[in-house]
Amino acid sequence: MGELDSAIQIIQSGLIQKHGVKDIFVSCYPEGHPRIADDLLEAARAAKLKAAAEAGLDVTLVSQFCFDAKAVIELTRRMRAQGQTQPYRVGVAGPADRAKLIKFALMCGVGASLRALKERQELSKAMMTGETPEALLTEVGEAQAADPSLGLEGVHFFTFGDLPGSVKFAEGCKG
């Protein structure tokens, strides 16, 4: 009850544990946030991780979706250098049509990724015609294989209303 201006207030409230929740996710922004300065994002993430540890909660980091694997990898390296060792799931856009993808990218402030798509036409064509995030995931997977200390432990699909399309893609990746 009452006004909240930060997720840390929920972590510190005790309500999560009171209701039996033991695992939470904390957001990360590989390309920053359109309305929050990078230094504030980093300080807030660190404070949330500290509060979660004090509350006995297990945390998995999950990123905002983007189309630029380099941004994901650079953020991961910065977090690890800051001593943040929690598992990290990479946020990717599931298969979506061009208009929907652009709409959500602009709403979520992933403009740098949109510029990367313009520069990498093969990725742009794949991601923005309802195809898949395979190129991004391959690049991130190769970085994880080369440096296991990155701690990249999974993927979070932003489905944009097409859950079946994302499930179909993910199931095709098994094996």
Side-chain angles (χ1 to χ4, degrees):
M1 289 184 64
E3 290 188 33
L4 301 172
D5 60 20
S6 174
I8 195 168
Q9 294 168 307
I10 298 169
I11 295 169
Q12 293 171 332
S13 73
L15 289 173
I16 294 172
Q17 307 87 309
K18 178 181 174 184
H19 292 282
V21 175
K22 297 176 184 169
D23 302 302
I24 64 169
F25 292 84
V26 171
S27 60
C28 304
Y29 298 87
E31 297 179 310
H33 189 284
R35 294 180 301 275
I36 304 171
D38 289 345
D39 59 333
L40 293 176
L41 284 175
E42 291 197 5
R45 185 178 57 245
K48 290 173 195 172
L49 295 175
K50 182 177 188 259
E54 290 170 355
L57 297 168
D58 290 326
V59 174
T60 298
L61 300 164
V62 63
S63 77
Q64 172 62 278
F65 77 95
C66 73
F67 308 112
D68 184 3
K70 288 177 183 58
V72 171
I73 295 163
E74 288 171 11
L75 173 62
T76 308
R77 288 191 174 121
R78 276 196 320 275
M79 290 189 305
R80 300 316 183 209
Q82 295 165 354
Q84 297 170 2
T85 60
Q86 295 78 9
Y88 181 27
R89 290 189 185 176
V90 178
V92 297
D97 67 64
R98 176 185 295 263
K100 189 178 285 191
L101 204 53
I102 290 172
K103 173 186 163 190
F104 280 99
L106 292 172
M107 284 174 40
C108 296
V110 294
S113 272
L114 287 174
R115 285 188 296 282
L117 284 176
K118 281 177 127 177
E119 294 168 9
R120 297 175 63 192
Q121 292 297 319
E122 75 285 354
L123 179 60
S124 174
K125 186 174 181 182
M127 287 301 301
M128 299 185 84
T129 58
E131 293 186 26
T132 68
E134 187 171 353
L136 179 136
L137 292 174
T138 298
E139 192 172 340
V140 169
E142 289 170 353
Q144 174 62 34
D147 183 2
S149 71
L150 291 176
L152 295 164
E153 296 190 8
V155 176
H156 174 86
F157 285 96
F158 290 85
T159 64
F160 306 120
D162 185 10
L163 179 60
S166 291
V167 169
K168 183 178 178 182
F169 170 75
E171 287 177 343
C173 292
K174 292 181 182 175

